[in-house]
Short mmCIF file of all heavy atoms in Angstrom, two decimals:
data_model
loop_
_atom_site.label_atom_id
_atom_site.label_comp_id
_atom_site.label_asym_id
_atom_site.label_seq_id
_atom_site.Cartn_x
_atom_site.Cartn_y
_atom_site.Cartn_z
N THR B 105 -13.39 1.88 39.14
CA THR B 105 -13.55 0.43 39.38
C THR B 105 -15.01 0.23 39.90
O THR B 105 -15.69 1.05 40.22
CB THR B 105 -12.65 0.01 40.49
OG1 THR B 105 -12.82 0.66 41.66
CG2 THR B 105 -11.08 0.15 40.11
N PHE B 106 -15.34 -1.17 39.87
CA PHE B 106 -16.59 -1.54 40.51
C PHE B 106 -16.62 -2.95 40.95
O PHE B 106 -15.56 -3.72 40.77
CB PHE B 106 -17.70 -1.50 39.31
CG PHE B 106 -17.58 -2.46 38.28
CD1 PHE B 106 -18.62 -3.49 38.06
CD2 PHE B 106 -16.47 -2.49 37.38
CE1 PHE B 106 -18.47 -4.38 37.13
CE2 PHE B 106 -16.38 -3.47 36.45
CZ PHE B 106 -17.39 -4.39 36.25
N ASP B 107 -17.61 -3.35 41.71
CA ASP B 107 -17.75 -4.76 42.22
C ASP B 107 -18.32 -5.57 41.09
O ASP B 107 -19.45 -5.48 40.65
CB ASP B 107 -18.66 -4.70 43.41
CG ASP B 107 -18.90 -6.20 43.85
OD1 ASP B 107 -18.16 -7.13 43.48
OD2 ASP B 107 -19.85 -6.36 44.73
N PRO B 108 -17.43 -6.52 40.54
CA PRO B 108 -17.95 -7.33 39.47
C PRO B 108 -18.79 -8.62 39.78
O PRO B 108 -19.38 -9.21 38.92
CB PRO B 108 -16.64 -7.79 38.72
CG PRO B 108 -15.77 -8.06 39.92
CD PRO B 108 -16.23 -6.92 40.91
N GLY B 109 -18.98 -8.82 41.09
CA GLY B 109 -19.61 -10.04 41.52
C GLY B 109 -21.10 -10.22 41.05
O GLY B 109 -21.41 -11.29 40.50
N PRO B 110 -21.95 -9.22 41.19
CA PRO B 110 -23.33 -9.37 40.70
C PRO B 110 -23.47 -9.73 39.16
O PRO B 110 -24.23 -10.66 38.88
CB PRO B 110 -24.08 -8.08 41.02
CG PRO B 110 -23.22 -7.55 42.15
CD PRO B 110 -21.84 -8.02 41.87
N ALA B 111 -22.75 -9.00 38.44
CA ALA B 111 -22.88 -9.31 36.97
C ALA B 111 -22.29 -10.69 36.57
O ALA B 111 -22.81 -11.44 35.83
CB ALA B 111 -22.05 -8.20 36.20
N LEU B 112 -21.09 -10.99 37.27
CA LEU B 112 -20.43 -12.33 36.95
C LEU B 112 -21.39 -13.47 37.34
O LEU B 112 -21.58 -14.47 36.57
CB LEU B 112 -19.13 -12.39 37.75
CG LEU B 112 -17.95 -11.70 37.06
CD1 LEU B 112 -16.76 -11.68 38.12
CD2 LEU B 112 -17.58 -12.37 35.83
N ARG B 113 -21.91 -13.39 38.51
CA ARG B 113 -22.77 -14.45 38.95
C ARG B 113 -24.02 -14.63 38.09
O ARG B 113 -24.51 -15.71 37.80
CB ARG B 113 -23.38 -14.22 40.49
CG ARG B 113 -22.22 -14.37 41.44
CD ARG B 113 -22.73 -14.30 42.95
NE ARG B 113 -23.17 -12.97 43.23
CZ ARG B 113 -22.40 -12.07 43.81
NH1 ARG B 113 -21.08 -12.39 44.07
NH2 ARG B 113 -22.83 -10.91 44.19
N LEU B 114 -24.53 -13.42 37.69
CA LEU B 114 -25.69 -13.54 36.71
C LEU B 114 -25.32 -14.19 35.35
O LEU B 114 -26.13 -14.99 34.89
CB LEU B 114 -26.26 -12.17 36.46
CG LEU B 114 -27.68 -11.91 35.86
CD1 LEU B 114 -28.67 -12.52 36.78
CD2 LEU B 114 -27.92 -10.41 35.75
N LEU B 115 -24.27 -13.76 34.86
CA LEU B 115 -23.88 -14.28 33.48
C LEU B 115 -23.46 -15.70 33.67
O LEU B 115 -23.72 -16.63 32.73
CB LEU B 115 -22.66 -13.58 33.00
CG LEU B 115 -23.03 -12.14 32.56
CD1 LEU B 115 -21.71 -11.28 32.34
CD2 LEU B 115 -23.78 -12.18 31.22
N ARG B 116 -22.86 -16.14 34.73
CA ARG B 116 -22.48 -17.55 34.92
C ARG B 116 -23.56 -18.47 34.88
O ARG B 116 -23.60 -19.57 34.30
CB ARG B 116 -21.70 -17.74 36.27
CG ARG B 116 -21.06 -19.11 36.48
CD ARG B 116 -19.96 -19.46 35.39
NE ARG B 116 -19.36 -20.73 35.65
CZ ARG B 116 -18.23 -20.86 36.38
NH1 ARG B 116 -17.65 -19.87 36.95
NH2 ARG B 116 -17.72 -21.99 36.56
N GLN B 117 -24.84 -17.99 35.37
CA GLN B 117 -26.08 -18.85 35.25
C GLN B 117 -26.47 -19.24 33.80
O GLN B 117 -26.98 -20.15 33.49
CB GLN B 117 -27.16 -18.11 36.01
CG GLN B 117 -27.00 -18.03 37.43
CD GLN B 117 -28.18 -17.22 38.08
OE1 GLN B 117 -29.15 -16.96 37.53
NE2 GLN B 117 -27.94 -16.90 39.42
N GLU B 118 -26.22 -18.21 32.92
CA GLU B 118 -26.50 -18.35 31.58
C GLU B 118 -25.47 -18.95 30.75
O GLU B 118 -25.69 -19.52 29.70
CB GLU B 118 -27.06 -16.96 30.86
CG GLU B 118 -28.12 -16.32 31.73
CD GLU B 118 -29.53 -17.09 31.54
OE1 GLU B 118 -29.59 -17.85 30.60
OE2 GLU B 118 -30.34 -17.02 32.52
N LEU B 119 -24.22 -18.63 31.04
CA LEU B 119 -22.96 -19.07 30.27
C LEU B 119 -22.11 -19.84 31.21
O LEU B 119 -20.91 -19.39 31.61
CB LEU B 119 -22.32 -17.90 29.68
CG LEU B 119 -23.10 -17.19 28.54
CD1 LEU B 119 -22.40 -15.88 28.16
CD2 LEU B 119 -23.18 -18.11 27.28
N PRO B 120 -22.51 -21.01 31.69
CA PRO B 120 -21.63 -21.73 32.68
C PRO B 120 -20.32 -22.24 32.03
O PRO B 120 -19.33 -22.41 32.77
CB PRO B 120 -22.47 -22.96 33.02
CG PRO B 120 -23.40 -23.12 31.87
CD PRO B 120 -23.70 -21.70 31.33
N HIS B 121 -20.17 -22.37 30.67
CA HIS B 121 -18.96 -22.90 30.19
C HIS B 121 -18.12 -21.67 29.44
O HIS B 121 -17.17 -21.91 28.78
CB HIS B 121 -19.31 -23.81 29.01
CG HIS B 121 -20.07 -25.01 29.60
ND1 HIS B 121 -19.58 -25.89 30.53
CD2 HIS B 121 -21.35 -25.48 29.29
CE1 HIS B 121 -20.43 -26.78 30.85
NE2 HIS B 121 -21.52 -26.59 30.12
N ALA B 122 -18.61 -20.46 29.65
CA ALA B 122 -17.75 -19.31 29.19
C ALA B 122 -16.51 -19.13 29.90
O ALA B 122 -16.30 -19.65 31.05
CB ALA B 122 -18.65 -18.06 29.13
N ARG B 123 -15.63 -18.41 29.37
CA ARG B 123 -14.34 -17.98 29.99
C ARG B 123 -14.51 -16.54 30.59
O ARG B 123 -14.94 -15.64 29.93
CB ARG B 123 -13.17 -18.04 28.95
CG ARG B 123 -13.16 -19.44 28.43
CD ARG B 123 -11.94 -19.50 27.32
NE ARG B 123 -12.12 -20.67 26.49
CZ ARG B 123 -11.23 -21.06 25.66
NH1 ARG B 123 -10.11 -20.46 25.43
NH2 ARG B 123 -11.39 -22.25 24.95
N TYR B 124 -14.04 -16.34 31.81
CA TYR B 124 -14.36 -15.09 32.44
C TYR B 124 -12.82 -14.57 32.91
O TYR B 124 -12.00 -15.34 33.31
CB TYR B 124 -15.10 -15.19 33.71
CG TYR B 124 -16.52 -15.65 33.33
CD1 TYR B 124 -16.85 -16.97 33.27
CD2 TYR B 124 -17.48 -14.73 33.14
CE1 TYR B 124 -18.17 -17.48 32.77
CE2 TYR B 124 -18.75 -15.09 32.74
CZ TYR B 124 -19.18 -16.45 32.58
OH TYR B 124 -20.42 -16.84 32.29
N ALA B 125 -12.73 -13.25 32.89
CA ALA B 125 -11.47 -12.58 33.30
C ALA B 125 -11.80 -11.25 33.82
O ALA B 125 -12.69 -10.54 33.47
CB ALA B 125 -10.41 -12.45 32.07
N VAL B 126 -11.00 -10.81 34.77
CA VAL B 126 -10.96 -9.46 35.26
C VAL B 126 -9.60 -8.87 35.17
O VAL B 126 -8.58 -9.54 35.24
CB VAL B 126 -11.50 -9.45 36.78
CG1 VAL B 126 -12.91 -9.85 36.91
CG2 VAL B 126 -10.50 -10.23 37.67
N GLU B 127 -9.57 -7.53 34.95
CA GLU B 127 -8.35 -6.84 34.70
C GLU B 127 -7.64 -6.39 35.97
O GLU B 127 -8.28 -5.73 36.75
CB GLU B 127 -8.46 -5.69 33.74
CG GLU B 127 -7.25 -4.91 33.39
CD GLU B 127 -7.66 -3.75 32.44
OE1 GLU B 127 -8.85 -3.50 32.15
OE2 GLU B 127 -6.71 -3.14 31.91
N ASP B 128 -6.35 -6.54 36.07
CA ASP B 128 -5.46 -5.91 37.00
C ASP B 128 -4.65 -4.82 36.32
O ASP B 128 -3.72 -5.21 35.55
CB ASP B 128 -4.50 -6.96 37.73
CG ASP B 128 -5.41 -7.96 38.52
OD1 ASP B 128 -6.35 -7.50 39.11
OD2 ASP B 128 -4.92 -9.09 38.72
N VAL B 129 -4.93 -3.68 36.49
CA VAL B 129 -4.38 -2.50 35.66
C VAL B 129 -2.85 -2.58 35.78
O VAL B 129 -2.29 -2.58 36.85
CB VAL B 129 -4.98 -1.15 36.20
CG1 VAL B 129 -4.22 -0.02 35.40
CG2 VAL B 129 -6.41 -1.15 35.94
N GLY B 130 -2.20 -2.49 34.65
CA GLY B 130 -0.76 -2.42 34.58
C GLY B 130 -0.13 -3.75 34.82
O GLY B 130 1.16 -3.78 34.74
N ILE B 131 -0.94 -4.82 35.04
CA ILE B 131 -0.30 -6.23 35.33
C ILE B 131 -0.72 -7.17 34.18
O ILE B 131 0.03 -7.85 33.53
CB ILE B 131 -0.64 -6.68 36.80
CG1 ILE B 131 -0.05 -5.68 37.76
CG2 ILE B 131 -0.11 -8.10 37.01
CD1 ILE B 131 -0.57 -5.89 39.15
N GLY B 132 -2.14 -7.34 34.19
CA GLY B 132 -2.65 -8.37 33.34
C GLY B 132 -4.03 -8.73 33.72
O GLY B 132 -4.81 -7.90 34.08
N PHE B 133 -4.31 -10.04 33.84
CA PHE B 133 -5.63 -10.56 34.05
C PHE B 133 -5.66 -11.68 35.03
O PHE B 133 -4.72 -12.53 35.00
CB PHE B 133 -6.40 -10.95 32.79
CG PHE B 133 -6.66 -9.79 31.85
CD1 PHE B 133 -5.61 -9.32 30.99
CD2 PHE B 133 -7.89 -9.15 31.83
CE1 PHE B 133 -6.02 -8.28 30.09
CE2 PHE B 133 -8.11 -8.13 31.06
CZ PHE B 133 -7.25 -7.65 30.18
N ARG B 134 -6.72 -11.77 35.91
CA ARG B 134 -7.03 -12.97 36.62
C ARG B 134 -8.18 -13.71 35.75
O ARG B 134 -9.16 -12.93 35.39
CB ARG B 134 -7.51 -12.70 38.06
CG ARG B 134 -6.35 -12.30 38.97
CD ARG B 134 -6.80 -11.89 40.36
NE ARG B 134 -7.36 -10.60 40.34
CZ ARG B 134 -8.65 -10.33 40.91
NH1 ARG B 134 -9.32 -11.36 41.38
NH2 ARG B 134 -9.12 -9.07 40.77
N LEU B 135 -8.19 -14.91 35.53
CA LEU B 135 -9.12 -15.55 34.64
C LEU B 135 -9.36 -16.98 35.05
O LEU B 135 -8.56 -17.57 35.77
CB LEU B 135 -8.73 -15.46 33.18
CG LEU B 135 -7.28 -15.97 32.73
CD1 LEU B 135 -7.26 -16.07 31.24
CD2 LEU B 135 -6.17 -15.09 33.24
N THR B 136 -10.51 -17.45 34.67
CA THR B 136 -10.98 -18.81 35.04
C THR B 136 -10.29 -19.80 34.24
O THR B 136 -10.06 -20.99 34.57
CB THR B 136 -12.46 -18.89 34.92
OG1 THR B 136 -12.92 -18.55 33.59
CG2 THR B 136 -13.22 -18.06 35.83
N GLU B 137 -9.93 -19.44 32.88
CA GLU B 137 -9.12 -20.39 32.16
C GLU B 137 -8.49 -19.45 31.02
O GLU B 137 -8.94 -18.36 30.72
CB GLU B 137 -10.03 -21.47 31.47
CG GLU B 137 -11.15 -21.06 30.69
CD GLU B 137 -11.96 -22.30 30.16
OE1 GLU B 137 -11.45 -23.05 29.26
OE2 GLU B 137 -13.14 -22.51 30.53
N HIS B 138 -7.46 -20.06 30.32
CA HIS B 138 -6.92 -19.20 29.27
C HIS B 138 -7.79 -18.94 28.14
O HIS B 138 -8.59 -19.76 27.67
CB HIS B 138 -5.64 -20.02 28.73
CG HIS B 138 -4.48 -19.96 29.79
ND1 HIS B 138 -3.83 -18.93 30.19
CD2 HIS B 138 -3.95 -21.11 30.46
CE1 HIS B 138 -2.95 -19.26 31.10
NE2 HIS B 138 -2.94 -20.58 31.27
N PHE B 139 -7.57 -17.64 27.62
CA PHE B 139 -8.32 -17.19 26.39
C PHE B 139 -7.56 -17.64 25.23
O PHE B 139 -6.30 -18.03 25.35
CB PHE B 139 -8.44 -15.73 26.43
CG PHE B 139 -9.58 -15.23 27.29
CD1 PHE B 139 -9.87 -15.71 28.67
CD2 PHE B 139 -10.40 -14.13 26.78
CE1 PHE B 139 -10.85 -15.28 29.32
CE2 PHE B 139 -11.42 -13.72 27.65
CZ PHE B 139 -11.65 -14.21 28.87
N PRO B 140 -8.07 -17.60 24.08
CA PRO B 140 -7.36 -17.80 22.84
C PRO B 140 -6.10 -17.01 22.71
O PRO B 140 -6.11 -15.78 23.24
CB PRO B 140 -8.39 -17.56 21.65
CG PRO B 140 -9.66 -17.77 22.30
CD PRO B 140 -9.67 -17.35 23.68
N ASP B 141 -5.05 -17.50 22.10
CA ASP B 141 -3.75 -16.92 22.08
C ASP B 141 -3.84 -15.47 21.55
O ASP B 141 -4.61 -15.20 20.49
CB ASP B 141 -2.75 -17.65 21.23
CG ASP B 141 -2.28 -19.00 21.94
OD1 ASP B 141 -2.56 -19.01 23.17
OD2 ASP B 141 -1.76 -19.77 21.29
N GLY B 142 -3.25 -14.56 22.23
CA GLY B 142 -3.16 -13.06 21.73
C GLY B 142 -4.32 -12.31 22.10
O GLY B 142 -4.20 -11.04 21.80
N GLU B 143 -5.33 -12.82 22.73
CA GLU B 143 -6.51 -11.89 22.97
C GLU B 143 -6.36 -11.02 24.27
O GLU B 143 -6.93 -10.09 24.28
CB GLU B 143 -7.80 -12.81 23.08
CG GLU B 143 -8.19 -13.38 21.77
CD GLU B 143 -9.55 -14.04 21.78
OE1 GLU B 143 -10.15 -14.21 22.97
OE2 GLU B 143 -10.18 -14.41 20.72
N LEU B 144 -5.57 -11.56 25.24
CA LEU B 144 -5.38 -10.76 26.46
C LEU B 144 -3.86 -10.69 26.69
O LEU B 144 -3.12 -11.76 26.61
CB LEU B 144 -6.03 -11.42 27.67
CG LEU B 144 -7.55 -11.66 27.68
CD1 LEU B 144 -8.00 -12.35 28.82
CD2 LEU B 144 -8.18 -10.18 27.62
N GLN B 145 -3.41 -9.53 26.99
CA GLN B 145 -1.93 -9.31 27.23
C GLN B 145 -1.64 -9.16 28.65
O GLN B 145 -2.52 -9.05 29.48
CB GLN B 145 -1.49 -8.07 26.49
CG GLN B 145 -1.42 -8.22 24.99
CD GLN B 145 -2.79 -8.19 24.30
OE1 GLN B 145 -3.76 -7.48 24.69
NE2 GLN B 145 -2.97 -8.95 23.28
#
Side-chain angles (χ1 to χ4, degrees):
T105 62
F106 72 113
D107 174 10
L112 281 167
R113 291 189 290 268
L114 194 60
L115 287 167
R116 186 65 175 266
Q117 293 177 8
E118 302 294 331
L119 291 171
H121 302 298
R123 306 175 191 190
Y124 296 88
V126 294
E127 181 181 7
D128 291 328
V129 177
I131 300 173
F133 292 85
R134 287 176 287 127
L135 53 168
T136 55
E137 59 181 293
H138 288 295
F139 278 44
D141 288 345
E143 290 192 348
L144 296 177
Q145 286 72 40

